[in-house]
Amino acid sequence: MQQGASFQKLLHTFAALADLGQEIADTRDFEEKMRAALHLIQGSLGIMRGALAVFDSETQSLKFIAARGMNDLAQSDLALSSQEVSDLLSLGICALTKDDESRAFVNFKNGRKDLLDSLRVDLIVPMVVRGSPVGVILLGGKATGEEFATEDREVVCAMARHIGVGIHEHRLFEELQQRADENHQLYDEMRVIYRDTVRAFAAAIDSKDKYTQGHSQRVGKFSEIIAREMGWSDEEVEGIAVAGYLHDIGKLVVERDIINAPYRINAKESVELNRHPSIGYEILSPINHPYADIPLAARYHHERVDGRGYPDGLTGEEIPLVAKIVCVADSFDAMTTDRPYKKRRALEEVVDDFRRNSGKQFAPEVVIPFCRALFKELNGETANRRIVKLLGKDYVEQERIAPLLQALIEDLESGAITATAGNA
Ligand SMILES: [Fe+2]
């Protein structure tokens, strides 16, 4: 008979443990889980009063987050001295009665005598996981008035182990979450710093050339518009904008007099000026950019698809797309702004230049989206007329330009303009 009762109890304990496992693994709110776990312990042993606290290592205190029959304890904190924390640690997971006389427990108990007496605590269960205190469970007596048997204490300890692991996992998850949040914040800050640095560099590059104020910034914006029209992702668009901002960074090393020459420069000066793409590449390539192709844009933005560009004389597919985009944006800005030795050209002429030089200087796969973006603006298809704003409204004669753009797009798409590297 006695054996049968123990067996029943064991079965009951296993069932309670299985329930507890499910409670802990549940994805519900952490505190709700802890309340459910405490109720299960109390329910499985017929205990009316109980409370559960988690240990907060930052404030060195026990925070009561669940209580049943000891309700004035819920949401309250219990500060611990470092001695008390180490006492708790030395206890490990066990179920102690208030009569337990082990040294560590006596120390802990003495400091809390009034509280433990007023709550009529019969069992104290410290929870320690991997050498760290994670919490404490306080339990009152059994509803039947019986003493706690050894098996009862074992049941409580087994359940406390489960709960302790649950608290530990929750803590790890929270730490990870916090670290992820911090990383995210740090990343955002670095992006802002990077963007500001890029802008500062662009301003430094442009200030060296007194005739082309804002050139780098405009090339960045035109490049961005082309990439957006080509369906690039937000990060790629941001990357090409930076490539545009920095494409002439090598000019920082070229003599100011050559850059600002109010005449067409001679061959020797031209050689000096033409070093700026390679120098730009050298400046940019050691930097770990969020968009890897930025140094390539600097190096190859003066290449031509017919192979007659510099510094390497690459042709067609050999030229990185990022450089082809910056090349079109750069040339467009050069043609549409006043230079020391010539006034800007009429937009009609610029479109004609694109027609004559697509497949020679410019890559048709870049000219098409740029013309399409401008056409959409002139045709009222986009709310934000970014290119028109950069050029100035008066300069863009909508009625004349829109049909030219449309015809050019059609001719390029149909292959009517077939000039390529081979037959240029
Ligand atoms: Fe350049």
Side-chain angles (χ1 to χ4, degrees):
M1 185 69 194
Q2 183 62 37
Q3 232 180 0
S6 294
F7 183 65
Q8 281 301 322
K9 207 167 183 178
L10 203 61
L11 266 184
H12 185 70
T13 306
F14 271 123
L17 269 177
D19 285 349
L20 190 61
Q22 262 176 357
E23 290 291 345
I24 301 281
D26 202 331
T27 50
R28 273 178 302 168
D29 168 58
F30 173 70
E31 291 193 9
E32 198 182 315
K33 269 197 283 194
M34 290 297 113
R35 277 195 291 277
L38 178 68
H39 290 182
L40 266 170
I41 293 189
Q42 291 185 234
S44 66
L45 291 173
I47 301 170
M48 304 303 285
R49 288 170 297 107
L52 185 151
V54 293
F55 181 69
D56 182 336
S57 55
E58 238 173 71
T59 56
Q60 292 272 298
S61 62
L62 288 167
K63 287 185 180 305
F64 284 91
I65 57 169
R68 194 182 207 190
M70 295 183 184
N71 287 336
D72 38 349
L73 262 187
Q75 307 302 330
S76 66
D77 292 358
L78 201 63
L80 298 178
S81 68
S82 47
Q83 181 59 48
E84 285 171 327
V85 172
S86 68
D87 286 343
L88 262 186
L89 279 176
S90 72
L91 290 166
I93 291 187
C94 59
L96 302 150
T97 68
K98 57 185 174 187
D99 303 324
D100 200 299
E101 292 301 332
S102 69
R103 190 198 54 80
F105 184 57
V106 169
N107 284 347
F108 178 74
K109 192 172 55 172
N110 285 347
R112 314 278 160 233
K113 194 168 182 320
D114 291 348
L115 180 76
L116 298 176
D117 284 348
S118 71
L119 292 171
R120 287 178 292 135
V121 173
D122 285 5
L123 276 184
I124 299 172
V125 192
M127 292 181 285
V128 175
V129 176
R130 296 196 169 190
S132 304
V134 294
V136 166
I137 298 170
L138 304 179
L139 295 169
K142 284 187 177 183
T144 56
E146 293 169 54
E147 289 289 308
F148 284 106
T150 313
E151 307 92 86
D152 293 334
R153 293 210 215 174
E154 278 167 14
V155 168
V156 170
C157 283
M159 289 177 140
R161 246 172 241 127
H162 253 49
I163 296 171
V165 169
I167 297 172
H168 184 67
E169 278 178 359
H170 173 70
R171 198 172 283 171
L172 287 180
F173 178 75
E174 276 200 325
E175 274 170 25
L176 269 181
Q177 188 78 42
Q178 195 186 347
R179 226 166 284 172
D181 288 350
E182 281 170 6
N183 271 350
H184 198 78
Q185 209 179 335
L186 206 65
Y187 179 70
D188 282 348
E189 281 168 20
M190 280 173 67
R191 276 172 86 100
V192 171
I193 292 170
Y194 178 78
R195 231 174 288 163
D196 288 350
T197 311
V198 166
R199 292 221 174 99
F201 262 110
I205 299 161
D206 290 346
S207 73
K208 198 155 184 190
D209 186 340
K210 62 181 176 182
Y211 296 105
T212 57
Q213 283 297 312
H215 169 69
S216 300
Q217 205 169 357
R218 286 192 299 273
V219 173
K221 285 180 180 165
F222 290 138
S223 302
E224 190 184 323
I225 291 164
I226 296 170
R228 183 80 66 196
E229 184 62 34
M230 290 170 92
W232 286 22
S233 69
D234 285 348
E235 283 94 61
E236 289 169 328
V237 169
E238 204 180 307
I240 189 85
V242 174
Y245 273 91
L246 299 180
H247 74 287
D248 268 346
I249 197 168
K251 281 191 182 170
L252 287 175
V253 183
V254 176
E255 270 198 49
R256 192 176 282 267
D257 290 349
I258 297 178
I259 295 173
N260 286 309
Y263 51 85
R264 277 203 184 276
I265 51 176
N266 63 35
K268 195 173 159 226
E269 289 166 330
S270 184
V271 168
E272 172 65 14
L273 182 63
N274 291 358
R275 285 172 57 225
H276 79 270
S278 309
I279 296 169
Y281 179 77
E282 277 170 42
I283 295 173
L284 293 174
S285 52
I287 301 169
N288 196 8
H289 301 276
Y291 181 67
D293 287 352
I294 288 167
L296 296 179
R299 183 174 180 96
Y300 299 121
H301 74 276
H302 285 293
E303 296 289 358
R304 297 167 52 108
V305 290
D306 60 10
R308 290 168 53 218
Y310 64 92
D312 296 339
L314 302 184
T315 59
E317 292 306 306
E318 293 173 339
I319 306 169
L321 183 55
V322 66
K324 289 176 177 171
I325 293 173
V326 172
C327 169
V328 168
D330 186 23
S331 304
F332 183 77
D333 187 62
M335 291 189 275
T336 55
T337 45
D338 293 335
R339 294 281 155 136
Y341 45 86
K342 64 176 179 196
K343 286 262 163 215
R344 70 174 175 182
R345 291 155 73 175
L347 194 50
E348 206 175 337
E349 273 181 51
V350 176
V351 178
D352 188 50
D353 192 287
F354 274 165
R355 175 178 282 277
R356 281 183 290 105
N357 285 304
S358 283
K360 295 177 186 163
Q361 182 181 359
F362 308 124
E365 70 264 33
V366 176
V367 175
I368 294 170
F370 191 34
C371 291
R372 194 181 292 128
L374 180 54
F375 179 77
K376 281 182 182 171
E377 286 190 15
L378 299 181
N379 215 26
E381 291 175 43
T382 44
N384 190 0
R385 309 208 314 162
R386 296 183 67 195
I387 306 174
V388 172
K389 236 176 256 172
L390 285 166
L391 296 175
K393 241 189 350 213
D394 298 341
Y395 175 65
V396 186
E397 292 172 69
Q398 187 165 332
E399 291 74 24
R400 285 157 63 98
I401 299 301
L404 290 177
L405 287 171
Q406 197 171 20
L408 178 56
I409 294 167
E410 277 170 19
D411 288 346
L412 285 170
E413 280 181 337
S414 68
I417 301 171
T418 51
T420 54
N423 58 17

